[in-house]
Amino acid sequence: MQIISLFQKRATGCIAILCFVVLSFSACYKKDAVDPDPTPETLSRDADKVPYYKLQRVENLAAQTDDQNPTTPKTEILFSLDYKKEQPATYAKTSFWDISLSGLYNSFLGGNNNADATNTGYQGPGKGGITVLQKTFDEVTAIPADNEFKTGKGLIGTDDAGAFGQGTGWYLYDFGGTTVGDGSDTRVHVAYALGNPLKLANGTTLPARTIIVKTAAGDFAKIKMISCYKDVFTPDKMFTNTPHMYFTFEYVIVPAGSTKFEIK
């Protein structure tokens, strides 16, 4: 309404006023506006995308950690396997992330799916899912059928072989320090990733687990979870006070339509 009144009062200066308003608006927009829903026009899917069939490694992906208030919800992590990096929360309804880490200590994994109302990517373009197999990373060659992928949020975390297990998970939580550890104070509350077979305190060996992801774009990835401790990648060096949560994992992506995983 203010712009209209200025035009009415000063018709001869309308062009100058209009230019000033447009330039001012543009400056404010560039400074303050945030695009909550990036599109392929603003983010090229091919730019900086990791290649198919090549092994990728991510070390020390950091999550918020508060041991004094462990059950307080933490900010969900959205990670792009395509771009090999964490994405901002504003990308939630886009296809530019593939796995989420949420729940207790951000330790529960989910995919990016637009049809599941419990998923962070609900009503976006993502068509992904997630599942877990009791096989080593190298043993997993066949891609699971579509009906084996789960579409919700925070689906794969603690394994039944440890405390507070919720099915087949990617890590074993040794609450008392006796399932894997020697029962000492330095071994309580340790989370052991199951990317490799894990030797238990009773002498048995727990089979490895491999995460399989259908990405938001419809490709497929297999993931080997290695650690949630900073710069520590083997169970013998994981202790109660080792800095956490810093996720380390390896993965490979193959194109949509593939029937098997290959590393070339």
Side-chain angles (χ1 to χ4, degrees):
M1 297 302 292
Q2 182 179 3
I3 294 174
I4 293 174
S5 64
L6 285 171
F7 278 128
Q8 291 173 336
K9 292 179 180 180
R10 301 182 182 179
T12 58
C14 64
I15 295 177
I17 293 170
L18 179 60
C19 291
F20 174 78
V21 171
V22 171
L23 290 172
S24 298
F25 178 80
S26 298
C28 292
Y29 179 82
K30 289 179 181 178
K31 179 180 179 181
D32 300 323
V34 175
D35 184 1
D37 189 13
T39 65
E41 287 73 31
T42 58
L43 287 172
S44 171
R45 176 157 293 283
D46 292 328
D48 301 320
K49 183 179 176 182
V50 302
Y52 293 128
Y53 307 115
K54 300 298 183 183
L55 185 65
Q56 306 295 324
R57 184 178 175 95
V58 175
E59 290 189 1
N60 298 325
L61 173 64
Q64 295 177 337
T65 300
D66 181 0
D67 290 334
Q68 301 303 313
N69 301 283
T71 59
T72 301
K74 307 299 186 295
T75 302
E76 182 178 23
I77 294 174
L78 304 179
F79 190 86
S80 170
L81 299 173
D82 269 345
Y83 294 105
K84 198 177 177 179
K85 67 177 182 178
E86 183 178 354
Q87 301 285 34
T90 52
Y91 285 25
K93 304 301 182 184
T94 77
S95 62
F96 291 92
W97 63 274
D98 303 298
I99 57 172
S100 63
L101 295 94
S102 60
L104 189 65
Y105 281 94
N106 289 102
S107 65
F108 283 76
L109 302 176
N112 180 352
N113 185 274
N114 63 3
D116 192 318
T118 67
N119 194 288
T120 300
Y122 180 56
Q123 296 184 331
K127 48 187 176 182
I130 194 168
T131 189
V132 58
L133 301 178
Q134 294 192 42
K135 294 182 178 181
T136 67
F137 185 82
D138 291 338
E139 289 173 336
V140 175
T141 55
I143 293 174
D146 280 348
N147 61 8
E148 294 185 46
F149 289 94
K150 301 176 182 179
T151 58
K153 172 182 176 179
L155 297 171
I156 300 174
T158 48
D159 191 89
D160 281 343
F164 309 112
Q166 295 189 25
T168 301
W170 71 264
Y171 72 97
L172 179 153
Y173 177 45
D174 194 353
F175 178 85
T178 57
T179 305
V180 179
D182 57 9
S184 64
D185 291 342
T186 61
R187 288 289 189 173
V188 299
H189 304 299
V190 176
Y192 297 94
L194 298 173
N196 292 308
L198 181 67
K199 186 175 181 179
L200 305 183
N202 62 11
T204 64
T205 298
L206 191 66
R209 282 81 163 98
T210 298
I211 305 297
I212 312 296
V213 173
K214 184 176 183 181
T215 73
D219 295 333
F220 296 98
K222 63 174 180 176
I223 304 175
K224 177 182 181 179
M225 300 299 295
I226 296 172
S227 175
C228 59
Y229 294 96
K230 189 174 183 179
D231 297 323
V232 172
F233 312 123
T234 56
D236 58 303
K237 296 180 181 178
M238 297 174 183
F239 299 97
T240 306
N241 293 324
T242 306
H244 54 276
M245 304 291 287
Y246 295 87
F247 301 97
T248 293
F249 53 94
E250 294 178 344
Y251 68 96
V252 64
I253 304 177
V254 298
S258 300
T259 59
K260 64 179 180 178
F261 288 105
E262 297 178 277
I263 297 178
K264 300 179 181 180

